[in-house]
Amino acid sequence: MPADPLREASRRRTFAIISHPDAGKTTLTEKFLLYAGALVGEAGAVKARTGRRAATSDWMEMEQKRGISISSTALQFPYREHVFNLLDTPGHRDFSEDTYRVLAAVDAVVMVLDAAKGIEPQTLKLFEVCRARSLPVITFLNKYDRPGRDPLELLDEIEAQIGLRPTPATWPVGISGDFRGVIDRRTGGFTRFTRTARGGAIAPEEDVEADRAAAEEGAAWERATDETGLLDAIGADVDLPSFLAGESTPVFVGSALTNFGVRHVLDAMVDLAPAPGPRLDTAGEGRPLGADCAAFVFKVQANMDRSHRDRIAFVRICSGTFERGMVLTCERTGRPFATKYASTVFGAERSTVDLAYPGDIVGLVNASDLHLGDSLYAETPVRFPPIPRFAPEVFASARPLDTGTTKQFRRGLAQLDEEGVVQVLRDPDTGDSAPILAAVGQLQFDVFADRLALEFNSPIEVLSAPYEAIRLTDPTSAPRLRAIGGIRVLERGDGELVALFESRYRLQRLENDEAGLRLDPIVAG
Ligand code: G4P
């Protein structure tokens, strides 16, 4: 029996964890599941995904060899009468375009920082996308069980580098390396933690009154209360409106490995993070949560399972109730899409989903007609804004090694372009024969080459191309640009023209000297 979509939406929390590789995203994900009871006694199952994934897809072999996570996963689990949708984001520094897309489908983000390292380059880049989307960010200062940096110094760094005002919700008692527990600044209470072997079970917690804590924790307590006194004096208190506006970030301190502070972050997701709200369409109108079912595609993945050649479109439900079997209309094509096969993906395993509500993620199987960014609706048409495309930073040329596989090469090119594995830029004159590939990171080229060879039987050669900058242009400016050496004008999969520049300097000169040319930066947002 379908439930009331408004009530179900209010119970949902849809979020992602972002971090620099190795800061502890996977460990925190495991611990969330442990605390939610989704993996009782089995923390480590997310990490153990390499074993489970073995059967899933050949191209993931590369992931396993490199020990990185390329594909995103959506996990759903209950916590405190709520339903959490946790969208996993790939952790590798290079492979960020997919991560950016995931951020278009969430309502909040947990940013994990290694307390010994602070803000690292990847965190900064991801954070810029969060800011562009005004996503509320909860910060978790991780690895506090071992020697790290002074937490006050880390707060300064968050403020200075990402311009987000840190408002500590919990504060450590005991210096890193001798971490005893946290003060909850909102209640003044002390939570003392006890380690369990490798954090395999929920960390025993004891709530201790301030007076007793002062007597038992001695100098560690004194130091912590001195620091929280300082925070009180500067008014660095959790502030819901500025958190929801993406201007301040509640900060939690802990250690994912030993489970210290994990529950506080989960509670913050319920108590502070927003439930799904009306999603804005391209006209800026909110789609009411109670309207009929609507969703948008934020990720497309083909051939996840080589034994069934298929293509899954991951959609986020934005309004109404999704019932498996219902027919949705694809706004772009006007064609019906029967949702007979719909699944959630938990780790590498799929299970059928019969009902879903705003905020939920559904994998639509057999989605050969659906593209990244497509809007779907049951009755009332809606068009949600396209998934932002990102300014590519690296470029390469690709050609089949065996000229007998040109057909397969073309098919693969079209498929992987649609999936957004790389952006394929074509010369309007020569078409597919010598495309330029554009990506945010080099690894996207490796995935592209691997998948062409494995799934389309078309081994290719990828050679780095000498471009330093890319701009959006138009048919009026194109002839002038084509006449200049070191510039190429190519067509993107969505029909937009882009200009590639071998020299940034030349681009700057043109921007200064020929104001009439259209040379717009590609901006994420
Ligand atoms: P990632 O997904 O962000 O890349 O990070 P991941 O969770 O894989 O963690 C990276 C490493 O940091 C792992 O160690 C993990 O055990 C460790 N780690 C995570 N959280 C904490 C913490 O709170 N305290 C400490 N001390 N370490 C933490 P590894 O040696 O690479 O792997 P493993 O052998 O422990 O599995």
Side-chain angles (χ1 to χ4, degrees), residues 19 22-27 47 142-143 145 198 255-257:
S19 77
D22 273 344
K25 180 166 58 66
T26 313
T27 312
K47 198 86 185 180
N142 190 29
K143 306 200 186 183
D145 56 300
R198 277 196 67 79
S255 152
L257 190 68

Side-chain angles (χ1 to χ4, degrees), residues 63-84:
E63 268 185 80
Q64 292 165 20
K65 268 189 277 176
R66 297 179 184 221
I68 51 173
S69 157
I70 293 173
S71 60
S72 301
T73 309
L75 304 173
Q76 188 179 66
F77 54 93
Y79 184 74
R80 272 182 49 191
E81 308 291 312
H82 284 68
V83 177
F84 282 14

Side-chain angles (χ1 to χ4, degrees), residues 166-346:
T167 56
T170 64
W171 197 252
V173 176
I175 51 166
S176 47
D178 177 25
F179 185 28
R180 321 256 179 101
V182 295
I183 296 179
D184 190 329
R185 288 188 61 232
R186 298 161 297 179
T187 61
F190 173 56
T191 308
R192 183 189 282 140
F193 300 113
T194 307
R195 279 186 87 127
T196 59
R198 277 196 67 79
I202 287 175
E205 292 177 16
E206 188 189 358
D207 288 327
V208 182
E209 304 259 319
D211 289 350
R212 207 181 108 209
E216 290 172 1
E217 303 297 337
W221 179 260
E222 218 169 287
R223 180 180 162 158
T225 47
D226 279 354
E227 287 167 344
T228 54
L230 198 73
L231 295 170
D232 293 345
I234 59 167
D237 303 335
V238 173
D239 172 50
L240 201 56
S242 62
F243 160 63
L244 294 176
E247 292 159 6
S248 72
T249 178
V251 178
F252 292 83
V253 180
S255 152
L257 190 68
T258 59
N259 304 340
F260 289 16
V262 170
R263 186 180 52 76
H264 288 92
V265 182
L266 281 171
D267 285 341
M269 283 312 302
V270 169
D271 300 330
L272 303 177
R279 184 113 193 150
L280 298 185
D281 63 15
T282 45
E285 298 277 322
R287 171 92 173 180
L289 292 168
D292 55 287
C293 184
F296 70 92
V297 179
F298 68 94
K299 179 181 164 68
V300 174
Q301 177 128 32
N303 307 333
M304 277 177 85
D305 185 343
R306 296 256 293 161
S307 54
H308 321 88
R309 287 209 157 246
D310 62 4
R311 173 161 149 139
I312 300 189
F314 290 92
V315 301
R316 176 189 155 122
I317 308 294
C318 299
S319 66
T321 302
F322 169 85
E323 292 183 61
R324 187 168 63 84
M326 77 194 307
V327 176
L328 296 172
T329 303
C330 172
E331 187 275 336
R332 179 180 49 83
T333 59
R335 287 209 211 115
F337 180 86
T339 61
K340 187 166 166 208
Y341 301 102
S343 65
T344 54
V345 178
F346 184 92

Side-chain angles (χ1 to χ4, degrees), residues 124-168:
L124 204 58
K125 223 169 153 181
L126 289 169
F127 178 74
E128 277 162 14
V129 182
C130 295
R131 183 163 33 203
R133 310 196 66 83
S134 301
L135 278 174
V137 177
I138 289 174
T139 302
F140 184 61
L141 296 182
N142 190 29
K143 306 200 186 183
Y144 215 75
D145 56 300
R146 62 181 199 192
R149 288 168 48 190
D150 177 352
L152 285 172
E153 194 186 301
L154 289 170
L155 298 188
D156 282 346
E157 190 168 301
I158 293 170
E159 178 129 37
Q161 291 211 17
I162 58 184
L164 196 59
R165 191 163 56 84
T167 56

Side-chain angles (χ1 to χ4, degrees), residues 410-455:
R410 291 204 169 139
R411 220 158 32 87
L413 211 58
Q415 164 78 50
L416 300 180
D417 188 19
E418 269 171 34
E419 270 186 49
V421 172
V422 294
Q423 294 182 30
V424 177
L425 310 176
R426 296 172 173 86
D427 190 318
D429 297 330
T430 54
D432 276 348
S433 62
I436 294 289
L437 311 179
V440 173
Q442 196 68 33
L443 186 63
Q444 287 176 250
F445 298 148
D446 299 350
V447 172
F448 178 80
D450 259 48
R451 292 192 57 187
L452 266 181
L454 277 168
E455 294 167 26

